[in-house]
Amino acid sequence: MVLRIFGMSFIVTVVSLIVAFLYGGPTALALAAILGIMEVSLSFDNAVINATVLQRMSEFWQKIFLTIGVVIAVFGMRLVFPLAIVWVTAGLNPVKAFDLALNPPADDAATFADGSKSYETLLTDAHPQIAAFGGMFLLLLFLNFIFEERDITWLSWLERPLARIGKLDMLSVVVSGVALVLTAEIIAADDDRATVLVAGLLGMITYIVVDGLGSMFHTEENTEGPSELAKAAGKAGFFLFLYLEVLDASFSFDGVISAFAITSDPIIIALGLGLIGAMFVRSITVYLVRKGTLSEFVYLEHGAHWAIGALAVILFISIGVHINEIITGLIGVAFIGAAFITSLIRNRRADAEEVEAEREPTPVG
């Protein structure tokens, strides 16, 4: 199973590294490998969340996510989307933006003599609105999870009280709205306040629309059986697919910005983050679904959502303060690791109790 699931990712990795070597020699090969490793290590929480959604989709839509979704993730989010931001924010045509990305100045100046800006600087300047949009989307995802009552809780001392107050209608929207206003007023620069508010509002609208449509069609199309056993198909599958792509965008663009600490070459970024990193993240997602890992280690989903909540907060803070991407990655790894370990302890305890119950003598008569 491992070879079948990860086989294509290994093939793509080898081909990508060869292309990187032909494109820029040993340096490009090393940079692509580093970016691929960085993307996989920082995106495990993304894979866990993807798996929770993917297991609700029909086989057809799972295949769509693993084919068309890969194309969107690799070329759309890691190559075209950054270029599109440069087109819009700098008013450059696509050809000029791509040329600027491929041919940075020799001295890597942020601003040229004529007042124009480098590709990296233009992308960095767009960070506040991207962080506000992605942070709001991820924060709503986290809040809607944590405000919902569940049979199994991880941080019970905190999750159960939050679930009780979560019975208030639209509480997640209220909390996220307050967080957005505070971010714009306290963290964002004066010139960025309006932009941050608009971008955050668009992130909120996007989450509500996509999540709402997915839930509505999932309910309508599965009225003949229990929803937890049904697989979303048709319109429900499409909106879950759309939901996954927006979620991936919220995770990935911050990674693209972070990649510029290593290289500003969009080709190497597309090879490392996109082809290598995105393929392995999707393979990990499929592995989690096929192996039933989320059912076996029940706290993983909780840990991933807490990691997402932390990432949302980090995105908001990063609007005004630079935060090293290593810190972001370590927080995600810490939550996922803690959730895995506590799940393992829970399983061993349950097994021990089961063995103990079997040893107890059966009452006679």
Side-chain angles (χ1 to χ4, degrees), residues 233-310:
K235 294 177 181 178
F238 169 75
F239 284 112
L240 284 178
F241 169 76
L242 185 61
Y243 177 87
L244 278 175
E245 293 306 317
V246 177
L247 181 63
D248 181 69
S250 300
F251 273 97
S252 66
F253 189 80
D254 195 57
V256 173
I257 295 293
S258 300
F260 279 94
I262 299 174
T263 179
S264 60
D265 192 314
I267 302 300
I268 297 177
I269 290 175
L271 289 171
L273 290 187
L275 284 172
I276 299 175
M279 282 296 296
F280 266 102
V281 170
R282 273 156 173 70
S283 293
I284 294 171
T285 300
V286 175
Y287 181 82
L288 292 174
V289 174
R290 299 287 187 264
K291 289 286 290 183
T293 306
L294 297 181
S295 299
E296 182 179 356
F297 301 98
V298 294
Y299 296 143
L300 274 182
E301 184 178 1
H302 295 258
H305 277 90
W306 278 103
I308 285 176

Coordinates of all heavy atoms in Angstrom, one line a residue, residues 233-310:
A233 N -21.2 13.1 -3.1 CA -21.0 13.1 -4.6 C -21.8 14.2 -5.2 O -22.4 15.0 -4.5 CB -21.6 11.7 -5.1
G234 N -21.7 14.3 -6.5 CA -22.4 15.4 -7.2 C -22.0 16.8 -6.7 O -20.8 17.1 -6.6
K235 N -23.0 17.6 -6.5 CA -22.8 19.0 -6.0 C -22.1 19.0 -4.7 O -21.2 19.8 -4.4 CB -24.1 19.7 -5.9 CG -24.8 19.9 -7.3 CD -26.1 20.6 -7.1 CE -26.8 20.8 -8.5 NZ -28.2 21.4 -8.3
A236 N -22.4 18.1 -3.8 CA -21.8 18.0 -2.5 C -20.3 17.8 -2.6 O -19.5 18.4 -2.0 CB -22.5 17.0 -1.6
G237 N -20.0 16.8 -3.5 CA -18.6 16.5 -3.7 C -17.8 17.7 -4.3 O -16.7 18.0 -4.0
F238 N -18.5 18.4 -5.3 CA -17.9 19.5 -5.9 C -17.5 20.6 -4.9 O -16.4 21.2 -4.9 CB -18.8 20.1 -7.0 CG -18.3 21.5 -7.5 CD1 -17.2 21.6 -8.3 CD2 -19.0 22.6 -7.1 CE1 -16.8 22.8 -8.8 CE2 -18.5 23.9 -7.5 CZ -17.4 23.9 -8.4
F239 N -18.5 20.9 -3.9 CA -18.2 22.0 -3.0 C -17.2 21.5 -1.9 O -16.5 22.4 -1.4 CB -19.5 22.4 -2.3 CG -20.4 23.3 -3.3 CD1 -21.6 22.8 -3.8 CD2 -19.9 24.5 -3.6 CE1 -22.3 23.6 -4.6 CE2 -20.7 25.3 -4.5 CZ -21.9 24.9 -5.0
L240 N -17.1 20.3 -1.6 CA -16.1 19.8 -0.7 C -14.7 19.9 -1.4 O -13.7 20.3 -0.8 CB -16.3 18.3 -0.3 CG -17.4 18.1 0.8 CD1 -17.6 16.6 1.1 CD2 -17.1 18.9 2.1
F241 N -14.7 19.6 -2.7 CA -13.5 19.8 -3.5 C -13.1 21.3 -3.5 O -11.9 21.6 -3.3 CB -13.7 19.3 -4.9 CG -12.6 19.7 -5.9 CD1 -11.4 19.0 -5.9 CD2 -12.8 20.7 -6.8 CE1 -10.4 19.4 -6.7 CE2 -11.8 21.1 -7.7 CZ -10.6 20.4 -7.6
L242 N -14.0 22.2 -3.7 CA -13.7 23.6 -3.7 C -13.3 24.0 -2.3 O -12.3 24.8 -2.2 CB -15.0 24.4 -4.1 CG -14.9 25.9 -4.2 CD1 -13.9 26.2 -5.3 CD2 -16.3 26.5 -4.6
Y243 N -13.9 23.5 -1.3 CA -13.5 23.8 0.1 C -12.0 23.4 0.3 O -11.2 24.2 0.9 CB -14.4 23.0 1.0 CG -14.1 23.2 2.5 CD1 -14.6 24.2 3.2 CD2 -13.3 22.2 3.2 CE1 -14.4 24.3 4.6 CE2 -13.0 22.3 4.5 CZ -13.6 23.4 5.2 OH -13.3 23.5 6.6
L244 N -11.6 22.2 -0.2 CA -10.3 21.8 0.0 C -9.3 22.7 -0.7 O -8.2 22.9 -0.2 CB -10.1 20.3 -0.5 CG -10.5 19.2 0.4 CD1 -10.5 17.9 -0.3 CD2 -9.7 19.2 1.7
E245 N -9.6 23.1 -1.9 CA -8.7 24.0 -2.7 C -8.5 25.3 -2.0 O -7.4 25.9 -2.0 CB -9.3 24.2 -4.1 CG -9.3 22.9 -4.9 CD -7.9 22.2 -5.0 OE1 -6.9 22.9 -5.1 OE2 -7.8 21.0 -4.8
V246 N -9.6 25.9 -1.4 CA -9.5 27.2 -0.7 C -8.7 27.0 0.5 O -7.8 27.8 0.9 CB -10.9 27.8 -0.4 CG1 -10.7 29.0 0.5 CG2 -11.7 28.0 -1.6
L247 N -8.9 25.8 1.2 CA -8.1 25.5 2.4 C -6.6 25.4 2.1 O -5.7 25.9 2.8 CB -8.6 24.2 3.0 CG -7.9 23.7 4.3 CD1 -8.1 24.7 5.4 CD2 -8.5 22.3 4.7
D248 N -6.3 24.7 1.0 CA -4.9 24.6 0.5 C -4.3 25.9 0.2 O -3.2 26.2 0.5 CB -4.9 23.7 -0.7 CG -3.4 23.5 -1.2 OD1 -2.7 22.8 -0.5 OD2 -3.1 24.0 -2.3
A249 N -5.1 26.8 -0.4 CA -4.6 28.2 -0.7 C -4.3 28.9 0.6 O -3.2 29.6 0.7 CB -5.7 28.9 -1.5
S250 N -5.1 28.7 1.6 CA -4.9 29.4 2.9 C -3.6 28.9 3.5 O -2.9 29.7 4.2 CB -6.0 29.2 3.8 OG -7.2 29.7 3.3
F251 N -3.3 27.6 3.4 CA -2.0 27.1 3.9 C -0.8 27.5 3.0 O 0.2 27.8 3.6 CB -2.1 25.6 4.0 CG -2.8 25.0 5.2 CD1 -4.1 24.7 5.3 CD2 -2.0 24.9 6.4 CE1 -4.7 24.2 6.4 CE2 -2.6 24.4 7.5 CZ -3.9 24.1 7.6
S252 N -1.0 27.4 1.7 CA 0.1 27.4 0.8 C 0.8 28.7 0.6 O 2.0 28.8 0.4 CB -0.2 26.8 -0.5 OG -1.2 27.6 -1.2
F253 N 0.0 29.8 0.5 CA 0.6 31.1 0.1 C 1.6 31.6 1.1 O 2.6 32.1 0.8 CB -0.5 32.1 -0.1 CG 0.1 33.4 -0.7 CD1 0.3 33.4 -2.1 CD2 0.4 34.5 0.1 CE1 0.9 34.5 -2.7 CE2 1.0 35.6 -0.5 CZ 1.2 35.6 -1.9
D254 N 1.3 31.3 2.4 CA 2.3 31.7 3.4 C 3.6 31.0 3.2 O 4.7 31.5 3.5 CB 1.7 31.5 4.8 CG 2.5 32.2 5.9 OD1 2.6 33.4 5.8 OD2 3.0 31.6 6.8
G255 N 3.4 29.7 2.8 CA 4.6 28.9 2.5 C 5.4 29.5 1.3 O 6.6 29.5 1.3
V256 N 4.7 30.0 0.3 CA 5.3 30.6 -0.8 C 6.1 31.9 -0.4 O 7.3 32.1 -0.8 CB 4.3 31.0 -1.9 CG1 4.9 31.8 -3.0 CG2 3.6 29.8 -2.5
I257 N 5.5 32.7 0.5 CA 6.2 33.9 1.0 C 7.5 33.4 1.7 O 8.5 34.0 1.6 CB 5.3 34.7 1.9 CG1 4.1 35.3 1.1 CG2 6.1 35.8 2.6 CD1 4.5 36.3 0.1
S258 N 7.3 32.4 2.6 CA 8.5 31.9 3.3 C 9.6 31.4 2.4 O 10.8 31.5 2.8 CB 8.0 30.8 4.3 OG 7.0 31.3 5.2
A259 N 9.2 30.8 1.3 CA 10.2 30.2 0.4 C 11.1 31.3 -0.2 O 12.3 31.0 -0.6 CB 9.5 29.6 -0.8
F260 N 10.7 32.6 -0.2 CA 11.6 33.6 -0.7 C 12.8 33.8 0.3 O 13.8 34.5 -0.1 CB 10.9 34.9 -0.9 CG 10.1 34.9 -2.2 CD1 8.8 34.5 -2.2 CD2 10.7 35.3 -3.4 CE1 8.1 34.5 -3.4 CE2 10.0 35.3 -4.6 CZ 8.7 34.9 -4.6
A261 N 12.8 33.3 1.5 CA 14.0 33.3 2.3 C 15.0 32.4 1.8 O 16.2 32.5 2.1 CB 13.6 32.9 3.7
I262 N 14.6 31.5 0.9 CA 15.6 30.5 0.3 C 15.9 30.9 -1.1 O 17.1 30.9 -1.5 CB 15.0 29.1 0.4 CG1 14.7 28.7 1.9 CG2 15.9 28.1 -0.3 CD1 14.0 27.4 2.1
T263 N 14.9 31.2 -1.9 CA 15.1 31.6 -3.3 C 13.9 32.4 -3.8 O 12.8 32.2 -3.3 CB 15.3 30.3 -4.2 OG1 15.5 30.8 -5.6 CG2 14.1 29.4 -4.2
S264 N 14.1 33.2 -4.8 CA 13.1 34.0 -5.4 C 12.7 33.5 -6.8 O 11.9 34.1 -7.4 CB 13.4 35.5 -5.4 OG 14.6 35.7 -6.2
D265 N 13.4 32.4 -7.2 CA 13.1 31.9 -8.5 C 11.8 31.1 -8.5 O 11.7 30.1 -7.9 CB 14.3 31.0 -8.9 CG 14.2 30.6 -10.4 OD1 13.1 30.2 -10.9 OD2 15.3 30.6 -11.1
P266 N 10.8 31.6 -9.3 CA 9.5 30.9 -9.3 C 9.5 29.5 -9.8 O 8.7 28.7 -9.5 CB 8.6 31.8 -10.2 CG 9.6 32.5 -11.1 CD 10.8 32.7 -10.3
I267 N 10.5 29.2 -10.7 CA 10.6 27.8 -11.3 C 11.0 26.9 -10.2 O 10.4 25.8 -10.0 CB 11.5 27.8 -12.5 CG1 11.1 28.8 -13.6 CG2 11.6 26.4 -13.0 CD1 9.7 28.4 -14.1
I268 N 12.0 27.2 -9.4 CA 12.5 26.4 -8.3 C 11.4 26.3 -7.2 O 11.2 25.2 -6.7 CB 13.8 27.0 -7.7 CG1 14.9 26.9 -8.8 CG2 14.3 26.1 -6.5 CD1 16.2 27.5 -8.3
I269 N 10.7 27.4 -6.9 CA 9.7 27.3 -6.0 C 8.6 26.4 -6.4 O 8.0 25.6 -5.6 CB 9.1 28.7 -5.7 CG1 10.1 29.6 -5.0 CG2 7.8 28.6 -4.9 CD1 9.7 31.0 -4.8
A270 N 8.2 26.4 -7.7 CA 7.2 25.5 -8.2 C 7.6 24.1 -8.2 O 6.8 23.2 -7.8 CB 6.8 25.9 -9.7
L271 N 8.9 23.8 -8.5 CA 9.4 22.4 -8.4 C 9.5 21.9 -7.0 O 9.1 20.8 -6.7 CB 10.8 22.4 -9.0 CG 10.9 22.6 -10.5 CD1 12.3 22.7 -11.0 CD2 10.2 21.4 -11.3
G272 N 10.0 22.8 -6.0 CA 10.1 22.3 -4.7 C 8.9 22.3 -3.9 O 8.4 21.2 -3.4
L273 N 8.2 23.5 -3.8 CA 7.0 23.5 -3.0 C 5.8 22.8 -3.7 O 5.0 22.1 -3.1 CB 6.5 25.0 -2.8 CG 7.4 25.9 -1.9 CD1 6.7 27.2 -1.7 CD2 7.6 25.2 -0.5
G274 N 5.8 23.0 -5.0 CA 4.6 22.4 -5.8 C 4.8 21.0 -6.1 O 4.1 20.1 -5.5
L275 N 5.6 20.6 -7.0 CA 5.7 19.2 -7.5 C 6.1 18.3 -6.4 O 5.5 17.3 -6.1 CB 6.6 19.2 -8.7 CG 6.1 19.7 -10.0 CD1 7.2 19.7 -11.1 CD2 4.9 18.8 -10.5
I276 N 7.2 18.6 -5.6 CA 7.7 17.7 -4.6 C 6.8 17.8 -3.3 O 6.2 16.8 -2.9 CB 9.1 18.0 -4.2 CG1 10.0 17.8 -5.5 CG2 9.6 17.1 -3.1 CD1 11.5 18.2 -5.3
G277 N 6.7 19.0 -2.8 CA 5.9 19.2 -1.6 C 4.5 18.9 -1.6 O 3.9 18.1 -0.9
A278 N 3.8 19.4 -2.6 CA 2.3 19.2 -2.8 C 2.0 17.8 -3.0 O 1.0 17.3 -2.5 CB 1.8 20.1 -3.8
M279 N 2.8 17.1 -3.9 CA 2.5 15.7 -4.2 C 2.6 14.8 -2.9 O 1.8 14.0 -2.7 CB 3.5 15.2 -5.2 CG 3.2 15.6 -6.6 SD 1.6 15.0 -7.2 CE 2.0 13.2 -7.2
F280 N 3.7 15.1 -2.1 CA 3.8 14.3 -0.9 C 2.7 14.6 0.1 O 2.3 13.7 0.8 CB 5.2 14.5 -0.3 CG 6.2 13.5 -0.7 CD1 7.2 13.8 -1.7 CD2 6.2 12.2 -0.2 CE1 8.1 12.8 -2.1 CE2 7.1 11.2 -0.6 CZ 8.1 11.6 -1.5
V281 N 2.3 15.8 0.2 CA 1.2 16.2 1.1 C 0.0 15.4 0.7 O -0.8 14.9 1.6 CB 1.0 17.7 1.2 CG1 -0.3 18.0 1.9 CG2 2.2 18.4 1.8
R282 N -0.3 15.4 -0.6 CA -1.5 14.6 -1.0 C -1.3 13.1 -0.8 O -2.3 12.5 -0.5 CB -1.7 15.0 -2.5 CG -2.6 16.2 -2.7 CD -2.4 16.9 -4.0 NE -3.4 18.0 -4.1 CZ -3.4 19.1 -3.4 NH1 -2.4 19.3 -2.5 NH2 -4.3 20.0 -3.5
S283 N -0.1 12.6 -1.0 CA 0.1 11.2 -0.7 C -0.2 10.9 0.8 O -0.8 9.8 1.1 CB 1.5 10.8 -1.1 OG 1.6 10.9 -2.5
I284 N 0.3 11.8 1.6 CA 0.1 11.6 3.1 C -1.4 11.6 3.4 O -1.9 10.8 4.2 CB 0.8 12.7 3.9 CG1 2.4 12.5 3.7 CG2 0.5 12.6 5.4 CD1 3.2 13.6 4.3
T285 N -2.1 12.5 2.7 CA -3.6 12.6 2.9 C -4.2 11.3 2.5 O -5.1 10.8 3.3 CB -4.1 13.8 2.0 OG1 -3.5 15.0 2.4 CG2 -5.6 13.9 2.2
V286 N -3.9 10.8 1.4 CA -4.5 9.5 0.9 C -4.1 8.4 1.9 O -5.0 7.5 2.2 CB -4.0 9.2 -0.5 CG1 -4.5 7.8 -0.9 CG2 -4.5 10.2 -1.5
Y287 N -2.9 8.4 2.3 CA -2.5 7.3 3.3 C -3.3 7.3 4.5 O -3.7 6.3 5.1 CB -1.0 7.5 3.6 CG -0.4 6.4 4.5 CD1 0.0 5.2 4.0 CD2 -0.3 6.7 5.9 CE1 0.5 4.2 4.9 CE2 0.2 5.7 6.7 CZ 0.6 4.5 6.2 OH 1.1 3.5 7.1
L288 N -3.5 8.5 5.1 CA -4.3 8.7 6.3 C -5.7 8.2 6.1 O -6.3 7.5 7.0 CB -4.4 10.2 6.7 CG -3.0 10.8 7.2 CD1 -3.2 12.3 7.5 CD2 -2.5 10.1 8.4
V289 N -6.3 8.4 4.9 CA -7.7 7.9 4.6 C -7.7 6.4 4.4 O -8.5 5.7 5.0 CB -8.2 8.6 3.3 CG1 -9.5 8.1 2.9 CG2 -8.3 10.1 3.6
R290 N -6.8 5.9 3.6 CA -6.8 4.5 3.3 C -6.5 3.6 4.5 O -7.0 2.5 4.7 CB -5.7 4.2 2.2 CG -6.0 4.9 0.9 CD -7.2 4.3 0.1 NE -7.3 4.9 -1.2 CZ -8.1 5.9 -1.5 NH1 -8.8 6.4 -0.6 NH2 -8.1 6.4 -2.8
K291 N -5.6 4.1 5.4 CA -5.2 3.3 6.6 C -6.2 3.5 7.7 O -6.1 2.8 8.7 CB -3.8 3.7 7.0 CG -2.7 3.2 6.1 CD -2.4 1.7 6.2 CE -1.8 1.4 7.5 NZ -1.5 0.0 7.6
G292 N -7.1 4.4 7.6 CA -8.0 4.7 8.7 C -7.3 5.3 9.9 O -7.7 5.0 11.0
T293 N -6.2 6.0 9.7 CA -5.4 6.5 10.7 C -6.2 7.5 11.7 O -6.0 7.5 12.9 CB -4.2 7.3 10.2 OG1 -3.5 6.4 9.3 CG2 -3.2 7.7 11.3
L294 N -7.1 8.3 11.1 CA -7.8 9.2 11.9 C -8.8 8.5 12.8 O -9.1 9.0 13.9 CB -8.6 10.2 11.0 CG -7.7 11.1 10.1 CD1 -8.6 12.0 9.3 CD2 -6.7 11.9 10.9
S295 N -9.3 7.3 12.4 CA -10.2 6.5 13.3 C -9.4 5.8 14.4 O -9.8 5.6 15.5 CB -10.9 5.5 12.5 OG -11.8 6.2 11.5
E296 N -8.1 5.4 14.0 CA -7.3 4.7 15.0 C -6.7 5.7 16.0 O -6.7 5.4 17.2 CB -6.2 4.0 14.2 CG -5.3 3.2 15.2 CD -4.2 2.4 14.4 OE1 -4.2 2.5 13.1 OE2 -3.4 1.8 15.0
F297 N -6.2 6.8 15.5 CA -5.6 7.8 16.4 C -6.6 9.0 16.5 O -6.5 10.0 15.7 CB -4.3 8.2 15.9 CG -3.3 7.1 15.8 CD1 -3.1 6.4 14.6 CD2 -2.6 6.6 17.0 CE1 -2.2 5.4 14.5 CE2 -1.8 5.5 16.9 CZ -1.5 4.9 15.7
V298 N -7.5 8.9 17.4 CA -8.7 9.8 17.4 C -8.4 11.3 17.7 O -9.2 12.2 17.4 CB -9.8 9.3 18.3 CG1 -10.3 7.9 17.8 CG2 -9.3 9.2 19.7
Y299 N -7.3 11.5 18.3 CA -7.0 12.9 18.7 C -6.2 13.7 17.6 O -6.0 14.9 17.8 CB -6.1 12.9 20.0 CG -6.8 12.4 21.2 CD1 -6.1 11.6 22.2 CD2 -8.2 12.6 21.4 CE1 -6.7 11.1 23.3 CE2 -8.8 12.1 22.5 CZ -8.1 11.4 23.5 OH -8.7 10.9 24.6
L300 N -5.8 13.0 16.5 CA -5.1 13.6 15.5 C -5.9 14.8 14.9 O -5.3 15.9 14.6 CB -4.7 12.6 14.4 CG -3.4 11.8 14.5 CD1 -3.2 11.0 13.3 CD2 -2.2 12.8 14.8
E301 N -7.2 14.6 14.6 CA -8.0 15.6 14.1 C -8.1 16.8 15.0 O -8.0 18.0 14.6 CB -9.4 15.1 13.8 CG -10.3 16.1 13.1 CD -11.7 15.5 12.8 OE1 -12.0 14.4 13.2 OE2 -12.5 16.3 12.3
H302 N -8.2 16.6 16.3 CA -8.2 17.6 17.3 C -6.9 18.4 17.2 O -6.9 19.7 17.2 CB -8.4 17.1 18.7 CG -9.7 16.5 18.9 ND1 -10.8 17.1 19.5 CD2 -10.2 15.2 18.5 CE1 -11.8 16.3 19.6 NE2 -11.5 15.2 18.9
G303 N -5.7 17.7 17.2 CA -4.4 18.3 17.2 C -4.3 19.2 16.0 O -3.7 20.3 16.0
A304 N -4.7 18.7 14.8 CA -4.6 19.4 13.6 C -5.4 20.7 13.6 O -5.0 21.8 13.2 CB -5.1 18.6 12.4
H305 N -6.6 20.7 14.2 CA -7.4 21.9 14.3 C -6.8 22.9 15.3 O -6.9 24.1 15.0 CB -8.8 21.5 14.7 CG -9.7 21.1 13.6 ND1 -9.8 19.8 13.2 CD2 -10.5 21.8 12.7 CE1 -10.6 19.7 12.2 NE2 -11.1 20.9 11.9
W306 N -6.2 22.4 16.4 CA -5.5 23.4 17.3 C -4.3 24.0 16.6 O -4.0 25.2 16.8 CB -5.1 22.7 18.6 CG -6.2 22.5 19.5 CD1 -7.0 21.4 19.8 CD2 -6.8 23.6 20.4 NE1 -7.9 21.7 20.8 CE2 -7.8 23.0 21.1 CE3 -6.4 24.9 20.6 CZ2 -8.5 23.8 22.1 CZ3 -7.1 25.7 21.5 CH2 -8.2 25.1 22.2
A307 N -3.6 23.2 15.7 CA -2.5 23.7 15.0 C -3.0 24.8 14.0 O -2.4 25.8 13.8 CB -1.8 22.6 14.2
I308 N -4.2 24.5 13.4 CA -4.8 25.5 12.5 C -5.2 26.8 13.2 O -4.9 27.9 12.7 CB -6.0 24.9 11.8 CG1 -5.6 23.9 10.7 CG2 -6.9 26.0 11.2 CD1 -6.7 23.2 10.0
G309 N -5.7 26.7 14.4 CA -6.0 27.8 15.2 C -4.8 28.6 15.5 O -4.8 29.9 15.4
A310 N -3.7 28.0 15.8 CA -2.4 28.6 16.1 C -1.9 29.3 14.9 O -1.4 30.5 14.9 CB -1.4 27.6 16.6

